[in-house]
Amino acid sequence: MDLLQGQMEFFLQDSPVLLANMTQAITDGDAYQLQLAAHRLKGMLSRYAFTRAADVALELENKGRAATLDGASELVDQLRPMVSQLASAMSEYVK
């Protein structure tokens, strides 16, 4: 239980940073940084079987890998409320 709680705390701390990193990468035109942040978030989301959100993060990762940022902002906008939904659920267990 301690391990799970620790992972949840990590998600709660790191997911907003990763979303901000993705937004900044898009603003900066830095596809590689988008790829890195999306990859990390995808792994975190997959750990909790949040497939729909992990799929969006994978799309962002692939855009970064392909060095194309077209549509990336819209994907981050889709991902943000999903991450927030998971974070809200986790907050019930991490106090």
Side-chain angles (χ1 to χ4, degrees):
M1 191 63 175
D2 289 341
L3 176 61
L4 180 58
Q5 189 168 7
Q7 289 177 342
M8 287 184 198
E9 288 171 355
F10 180 74
F11 181 86
L12 291 170
Q13 292 171 6
D14 213 34
S15 61
V17 173
L18 292 171
L19 286 168
N21 289 351
M22 285 187 266
T23 299
Q24 189 63 50
I26 293 165
T27 299
D28 294 346
D30 191 337
Y32 181 69
Q33 289 303 316
L34 174 65
Q35 177 189 348
L36 291 178
H39 176 78
R40 285 187 58 203
L41 187 57
K42 177 192 72 178
M44 293 166 62
L45 292 164
S46 296
R47 181 177 298 134
Y48 300 103
F50 198 170
T51 308
R52 188 178 62 173
D55 288 347
V56 174
L58 175 61
E59 283 186 67
L60 284 160
E61 180 183 0
N62 288 339
K63 283 188 174 294
R65 184 175 291 113
T68 179
L69 301 177
D70 294 336
S73 290
E74 292 80 5
L75 289 171
V76 172
D77 289 343
Q78 287 178 26
L79 190 56
R80 190 170 277 111
M82 290 187 244
V83 169
S84 180
Q85 177 186 12
L86 182 56
S88 291
M90 285 180 181
S91 294
E92 306 246 341
Y93 296 98
V94 178
K95 301 199 184 223

